[in-house]
């Protein structure tokens, strides 16, 4: 029975048998129950502290139990209420002792936790939060416990710092190593620290994986990541309505700052050179500074803000500011107001130490967007102003990342960022750097209002265009705007181009932001006259429509020039600088050329600085075809100026290189530009480059584009007229151009035929050949023209015949029938006239090519090819005859040239086809030229050498 009674005894009854307060058991039952709870919770917490539980899980569990103990202990009645229970002094003394022990147990638990793991000082910050949730808690008691724990923590840190600074620190470290080896294993396999050494209590810790590890007892951790949060909570209580709480908060704040100062000195020590071991630091300096700090900050917000900013490390100060920022929207108005004062003062003095600027700016935008009329929004905008003063580039970049068009919240933030004129240059230069970027089309699936990612969609330049309407009109920014006018003007020109070409979302009309930015820039720079002139030209209204970006840029530059804008010198200098350095993108060159060329047109009508010649020369062959065309167009418009330059030849060569462009419009523009310059160029200079120019036209005479071909043929003829006094220089080029000029006489396009007749007439005149009458319509016959040319070649330019044959063979592969016909006839006549100049191998090649043409589907081409093949077989047979006869024949041709007669008779091609002998048979492959000449192979090589020498 006694055993059953013992099993049913409650925890309260067990305590009553061991203490002498049993005579008030019924009146103090709540105290005894709370005291027993404190003891049990303490045992559980300390048991966790020595376990192998993951550090994070361990701390969360301890924090949860500590919170339950907090609510149990600090919800007790006041001490006066407890004293009223006692009936005599002895009872009152016992009740008071029990009451104090409850809080002492809670305090001891915290001290043990902090002594083991210093970072668990974060529990103090949580205690302030729990206290503020319910005014019924014993707030003064809470602050007393917090202060006592902070005093212990401060001493702990001071002891560590003193050991770190004193020369005997290394000896203490060695002594700590000795203590560490004294650790023994208990029965459960856990490591047990000898109680005789207080330093050994820091020997154990947890690594990142949660496993137990030994730490160097000479280097215990004093890091407290929550110190900034705790300082923010305590700073708000320094102006509490209860003077006792205020005093405790100020005292606790002092010790928090003291811990922070010790941490700061530790960081400085780490960064110092290890070679300065002989120098000793005075550990009393920290104490003296702290004492001075304690005397000067009693309830003064200004001193608190200064002291916090000077003492806390940047990341801790950022936590301090972040906590105050979140307190602005607290339900406790007094606390929110106090947070506003402290936040403003802290950033006023130490905003440059904040490391979480982006996080703060994002949070402020969310608060403004969600609570646009909240009274604390004024404080938020002041924070933006202070952060902009400290970090202008970072804040502006952050503000430009929000979606466009800007809402009211973002507009307010822009206005706040422009409030401080001291950072106007940095702010405007940051906006300018963004404005020079290239926007990317925004995805329509973007639903939430969130910051853009530069990796995905970059609309920051568009936002910067809209932001100019806020920043440029600010009076304090006027001088900086004037200085940066050329850069802003060119940047907006780029945005006009990008919005017109790249942004296809016409529903949102993003070009309007560029328009508004331009208008504000002009008016802010004293150019209202330009704004009005563009208005009269209906320029601004066209922004809402589909406007040609080149026309828009041209019109702006022209209007500025017409108004003689005073910023012309610096604008021209900047544009020239950009052109020389090279734009970041090829399409940027388009804007630069248009704007630059228009300025030159209006201010350099008679002469042009030599420096600009290099720019246009480089732009001609730019990878972007549009850039090349604009440069060529500009050169053509200023041909009189360019033609007067001494080194104009350096400009002509890049123009000729443009003939090789794959872009047809560039080639056409290059030829037109070249003619404009040549028509005004001095003949002496002209003569030095005429051969190179004439040779550049020849490859274009058979161009696949008929416009280029026709223009090249005519320009070649015009060049010959220009250089009529330098005939001998161009005769070899004229001869080389005869093949395409002759063959395209049979073209199906009238304009090409007329161009060929025009140029051939000039060629015949230059060569002094009296055959121009054959080109007239009433006398024209293709075969007659070819025959006459070949006869003239025999008498004057015999050495060019083999080259002409080579050039003609390439046309035999053409898919156009008229070219096959003409090439077959021309190669026949050239072969007939130059038979004595050809070698055996050359004849073999020609026969092989003609045989392939003879298999053509067109009957006329086939008939002409058969006739031509017969001609070359006859030539081959003559070459296969005796060497003596062949040599004699060649010598005879050199002194007596026999004129050719009609071979094909195209006028009667039908009768020619019918007149082919029926007994005519093709030579079989085994009877080719190689077999015919097999017997004379050993003499052939010597015969060729003799022929070549002749």
């Amino acid at each position: 029975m006694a055993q059953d009674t013992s099993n049913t005894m409650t925890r309260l009854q067990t305590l009553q048998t061991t203490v002498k307060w049993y005579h008030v058991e019924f009146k103090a039952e709540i105290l005894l129950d709370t005291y027993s709870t404190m003891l049990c919770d303490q045992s559980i917490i300390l048991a966790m502290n020595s376990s192998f539980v993951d550090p994070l899980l361990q701390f969360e569990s301890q924090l949860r139990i500590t919170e339950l103990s907090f609510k149990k202990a600090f919800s007790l009645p006041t001490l006066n209420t407890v004293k009223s229970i006692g009936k005599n002094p002895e009872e009152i003394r016992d009740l008071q002792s029990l009451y104090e022990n409850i809080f002492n147990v809670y305090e001891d638990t915290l001290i043990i936790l902090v002594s083991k793991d210093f970072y668990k000082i974060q529990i103090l910050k949580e205690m302030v939060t729990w206290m503020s949730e319910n005014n019924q808690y014993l707030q003064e008691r809470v602050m007393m416990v917090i202060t006592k724990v902070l005093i212990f923590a401060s001493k702990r840190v001071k002891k560590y710092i003193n050991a770190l600074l004193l020369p005997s620190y290394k000896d203490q470290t060695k002594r700590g190593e000795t203590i560490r080896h004294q650790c023994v294993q208990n029965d459960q396999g856990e490591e047990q620290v000898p109680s005789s050494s207080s330093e050994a209590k820091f020997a154990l810790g947890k690594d990142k994986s949660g496993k137990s590890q030994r730490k160097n007892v000479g280097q215990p951790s004093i890091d407290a990541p929550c110190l900034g949060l705790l300082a923010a909570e305590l700073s708000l209580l320094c102006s509490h309505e209860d003077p006792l709480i205020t005093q405790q908060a100020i005292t606790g704040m002092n010790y928090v700052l003291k811990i922070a100062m010790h941490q700061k000195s530790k960081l400085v020590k780490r960064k110092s050179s290890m070679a300065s071991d002989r120098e000793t630091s005075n550990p009393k300096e920290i104490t003296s500074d702290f004492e001075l700090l304690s005397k000067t900050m009693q309830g003064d917000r200004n001193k608190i803000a200064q002291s916090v900013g000077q003492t806390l490390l940047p990341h801790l100060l950022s936590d301090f500011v972040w906590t105050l920022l979140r307190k602005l929207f607290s339900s406790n108005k007094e606390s929110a107001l106090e947070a506003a004062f402290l936040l403003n003062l802290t950033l006023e003095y130490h905003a440059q130490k904040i490391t979480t600027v982006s996080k703060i700016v994002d949070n402020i935008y969310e608060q403004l967007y969600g609570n646009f009329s909240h009274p604390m929004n004024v404080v938020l905008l002041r924070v933006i102003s202070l952060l902009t003063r400290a970090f202008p580039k970072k804040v502006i970049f952050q503000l430009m990342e929000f979606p466009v068009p800007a809402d009211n919240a973002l507009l307010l933030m822009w206005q706040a960022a422009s409030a401080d004129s001291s950072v106007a240059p940095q702010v405007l230069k940051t906006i300018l750097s963004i404005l020079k970027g290239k926007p990317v089309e925004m995805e329509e699936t973007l639903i939430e209002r969130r910051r853009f990612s530069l990796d995905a969609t970059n609309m920051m330049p568009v936002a910067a265009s809209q932001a100019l309407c806020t920043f440029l009109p600010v009076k304090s920014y006027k001088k900086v705007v004037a200085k940066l006018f050329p850069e802003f003007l060119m940047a907006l020109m780029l945005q006009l181009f990008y919005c017109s070409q790249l942004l296809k979302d016409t529903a949102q009309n993003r070009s309007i932001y560029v328009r508004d930015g331009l208008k504000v820039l002009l008016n802010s720079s004293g150019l209202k006259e330009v704004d009005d002139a563009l208005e009269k030209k209906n320029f601004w209204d066209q922004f809402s429509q589909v406007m040609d970006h080149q026309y828009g840029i041209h019109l702006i530059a022209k209007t500025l020039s017409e108004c003689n804008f005073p910023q012309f010198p610096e604008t021209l200098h900047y544009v020239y600088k950009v052109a020389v350095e090279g734009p970041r993108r090829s399409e940027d060159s388009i804007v630069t050329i248009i704007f630059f060329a228009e300025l030159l047109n209006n201010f350099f009508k008679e002469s042009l600085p030599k420096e600009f010649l290099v720019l246009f020369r480089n732009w001609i062959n730019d990878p972007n075809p549009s850039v090349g065309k604009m440069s060529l167009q500009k050169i053509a418009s200023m041909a009189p100026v360019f033609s007067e330059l001494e080194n104009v030849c350096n400009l002509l060569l890049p123009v000729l290189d443009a003939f090789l462009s794959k872009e047809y419009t560039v080639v056409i523009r290059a030829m037109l530009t070249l003619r404009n310059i040549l028509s005004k160029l001095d003949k002496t200079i002209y003569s030095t480059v005429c051969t190179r120019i004439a040779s550049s036209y020849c490859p274009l005479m058979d161009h696949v584009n008929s416009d280029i071909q026709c223009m090249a043929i005519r320009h070649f003829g015009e060049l010959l007229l220009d250089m009529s006094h330098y005939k001998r220089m161009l005769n070899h080029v004229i001869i080389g151009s005869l093949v395409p000029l002759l063959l395209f006489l049979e073209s199906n396009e009238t304009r090409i035929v007329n161009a060929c007749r025009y140029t051939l007439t000039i060629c015949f005149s230059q060569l002094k050949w009296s055959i121009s009458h054959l080109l007239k319509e009433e006398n024209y016959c293709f075969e007659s023209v070819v025959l006459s040319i070949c006869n003239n070649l025999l008498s004057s330019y015999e050495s060019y015949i083999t080259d002409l044959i080579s050039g003609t063979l390439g046309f035999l592969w053409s898919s156009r029938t008229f070219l096959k016909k003409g090439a077959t006839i021309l190669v026949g006549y050239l072969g007939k006239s130059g038979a004595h100049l050809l070698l055996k191998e050359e004849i073999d090649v020609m026969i092989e090519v003609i045989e392939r043409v003879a298999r053509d589907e067109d009957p006329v081409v086939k008939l002409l090819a058969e006739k031509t093949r017969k001609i070359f077989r006859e030539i081959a047979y003559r070459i296969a005859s005796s060497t003596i006869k062949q040599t004699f024949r060649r010598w005879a041709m050199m002194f007596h040239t026999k004129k050719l007669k009609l071979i094909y008779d195209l006028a009667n091609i039908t009768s020619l086809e019918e007149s082919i002998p029926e007994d005519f048979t093709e030579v079989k492959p085994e009877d080719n030229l190689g077999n015919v000449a097999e017997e004379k192979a050993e003499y052939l090589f010597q015969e060729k050498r003799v022929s070549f020498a002749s």
Side-chain angles (χ1 to χ4, degrees), residues 731-732 735-736 793 796-805 837:
N731 281 350
H732 68 284
I735 298 298
L793 287 173
S796 306
Y797 299 95
E798 185 182 40
S799 60
Y800 291 95
I801 291 178
T802 54
D803 293 334
L804 294 176
I805 293 175
L837 303 174

Side-chain angles (χ1 to χ4, degrees), residues 456-590:
T457 53
N458 174 21
M459 297 303 296
M460 290 174 63
V462 181
S465 301
Q466 187 180 9
L468 290 181
C469 300
T470 300
F471 288 91
L472 293 183
V474 178
K475 292 183 179 180
S476 57
Y477 279 43
K478 187 174 182 180
K479 292 183 178 180
V480 184
V481 172
K483 185 178 180 180
L484 298 176
F485 172 81
E487 297 184 53
F488 273 115
L489 182 63
M490 288 302 299
L492 287 171
M493 295 297 100
L494 289 175
Q495 290 307 313
L496 172 60
F497 167 76
Y498 291 137
C499 290
S500 301
Q501 293 296 106
L502 305 178
L503 299 179
K504 307 302 181 183
D505 187 1
T506 56
Q508 296 194 23
N509 258 335
R510 297 193 178 100
S511 59
I512 292 179
Y513 307 132
V514 182
R515 178 198 66 184
D516 296 341
L518 274 170
K519 289 176 68 70
V520 172
L521 177 63
L522 294 174
N523 287 280
S524 301
S525 304
L527 298 176
K528 191 176 186 307
E529 179 185 359
V530 179
D531 182 19
D532 295 338
L534 291 172
E535 185 72 38
K536 292 179 181 179
K537 296 177 181 180
N538 199 30
F539 175 74
W540 301 123
D541 294 337
Q542 296 183 52
F543 265 88
S544 58
Q545 306 170 3
V546 180
M547 183 182 66
D548 182 13
H549 64 281
Q550 295 186 16
Y551 167 74
I553 297 170
H554 168 80
L555 189 58
I556 292 173
K558 184 177 181 180
T559 306
L560 285 169
S561 301
E562 291 173 350
C563 297
N564 293 319
F565 70 113
Q567 296 90 344
F568 168 74
E570 51 265 38
T571 302
L572 182 64
H573 179 269
Y574 174 74
V575 177
Y576 174 75
K577 178 183 176 183
V578 172
V580 171
E581 293 177 352
R584 292 184 295 177
R585 306 174 188 86
S586 61
E587 56 263 30
D588 294 2
S589 299
I590 299 175

Side-chain angles (χ1 to χ4, degrees), residues 691-905:
T691 304
R692 168 72 185 275
I693 296 173
S695 301
S696 299
Y697 283 125
C698 292
L700 302 179
M701 291 183 184
D702 60 341
H703 200 279
V704 293
N705 184 279
S706 58
D707 295 330
I708 295 176
Q709 181 186 15
C710 185
M711 188 177 296
I713 293 173
R714 285 193 171 274
H715 285 188
F716 181 74
E718 292 172 2
L719 183 144
L720 296 179
L721 289 177
D722 294 340
M723 295 285 99
S724 58
H725 297 292
Y726 301 89
K727 297 178 181 179
R728 294 182 180 179
M729 297 175 59
L730 296 172
N731 281 350
H732 68 284
V733 182
I734 296 174
I735 298 298
S737 65
L738 290 178
V739 172
L741 291 175
L742 281 172
L743 296 181
F744 281 96
L745 280 173
E746 296 293 293
S747 174
N748 299 325
E749 296 188 45
T750 305
R751 58 174 181 164
I752 294 179
V753 173
N754 293 335
C756 290
R757 288 179 177 177
Y758 168 79
T759 302
L760 279 174
T761 302
I762 298 173
C763 290
F764 296 159
S765 175
Q766 296 286 345
L767 297 172
K768 297 182 180 181
W769 293 351
S770 302
I771 57 175
S772 298
H773 63 282
L774 297 176
L775 297 174
K776 295 182 179 180
E777 193 72 34
E778 60 274 12
N779 302 326
Y780 175 71
C781 174
F782 178 76
E783 188 175 4
S784 299
V785 174
V786 172
L787 176 62
S788 299
I789 290 176
C790 289
N791 286 327
N792 282 277
L793 287 173
L794 277 173
S795 61
S796 306
Y797 299 95
E798 185 182 40
S799 60
Y800 291 95
I801 291 178
T802 54
D803 293 334
L804 294 176
I805 293 175
S806 177
T808 308
L809 290 178
F811 288 95
L812 293 174
W813 303 101
S814 175
S815 58
R816 288 178 282 188
T817 303
F818 76 89
L819 286 178
K820 288 182 181 180
K821 291 179 182 179
T824 303
I825 294 174
L826 180 59
V827 77
Y829 277 103
L830 290 173
K832 190 77 173 178
S833 59
H836 60 289
L837 303 174
L838 299 175
L839 301 177
K840 172 182 175 296
E841 291 80 2
E842 295 173 342
I843 299 296
D844 288 340
V845 173
M846 294 177 191
I847 292 176
E848 182 181 355
V849 174
I850 295 298
E851 285 178 349
R852 292 184 181 180
V853 179
R855 294 192 289 269
D856 194 87
E857 296 178 356
D858 188 276
V860 177
V861 174
K862 186 174 182 180
L863 182 61
L864 294 173
E866 293 287 355
K867 191 70 174 178
T868 303
R869 181 171 57 180
K870 182 178 179 181
I871 294 173
F872 282 105
R873 282 177 177 168
E874 292 177 355
I875 298 173
Y877 179 77
R878 292 175 184 172
I879 292 177
S881 62
S882 65
T883 306
I884 298 176
K885 291 182 178 180
Q886 185 178 348
T887 304
F888 177 78
R889 188 181 300 111
R890 290 182 178 179
W891 278 98
M893 290 294 295
M894 292 178 62
F895 297 101
H896 177 71
T897 303
K898 183 179 180 180
K899 290 188 177 181
L900 301 178
K901 297 181 180 179
L902 287 177
I903 300 175
Y904 300 95
D905 192 12

Side-chain angles (χ1 to χ4, degrees), residues 639-640 643 672-683 686 718 722:
S643 61
L672 292 174
T673 301
L674 182 62
R675 280 310 306 163
N676 284 347
I677 297 177
L678 294 179
S679 63
K680 299 173 178 61
L681 190 62
D682 181 77
K683 298 301 180 183
Y686 197 165
E718 292 172 2
D722 294 340

Side-chain angles (χ1 to χ4, degrees), residues 592-704:
T592 305
I593 290 178
I594 296 175
F595 198 82
F596 189 53
E598 190 58 39
L599 292 179
L600 295 179
N601 278 339
N602 289 275
F603 291 95
F604 296 94
K605 295 183 179 180
E606 296 181 358
S607 62
L608 187 69
K610 297 180 180 179
E611 293 80 3
F612 299 154
L613 174 63
V614 179
L615 296 179
F616 289 103
R617 184 180 63 191
N618 295 338
W619 281 332
I620 290 175
N621 294 296
D622 191 271
N624 190 330
S626 299
V627 175
K629 285 188 293 185
M630 285 184 218
S631 179
L632 290 166
Q633 187 175 3
K634 173 59 184 174
I635 294 173
S637 65
M638 298 185 69
V641 178
F642 283 107
S643 61
E644 297 297 329
L645 296 175
E646 295 181 0
N647 53 350
V648 66
C649 295
N650 294 334
L651 178 65
L652 294 178
L653 296 180
V655 175
L656 295 178
D657 292 337
F659 286 5
L660 304 177
S661 175
K662 296 181 180 179
E663 184 70 25
Y664 296 161
T665 54
V666 174
V667 179
I668 293 174
R669 174 56 59 185
M671 286 194 290
L672 292 174
T673 301
L674 182 62
R675 280 310 306 163
N676 284 347
I677 297 177
L678 294 179
S679 63
K680 299 173 178 61
L681 190 62
D682 181 77
K683 298 301 180 183
T684 304
I685 300 176
Y686 197 165
S687 63
T688 60
V689 293
C690 64
T691 304
R692 168 72 185 275
I693 296 173
S695 301
S696 299
Y697 283 125
C698 292
L700 302 179
M701 291 183 184
D702 60 341
H703 200 279
V704 293

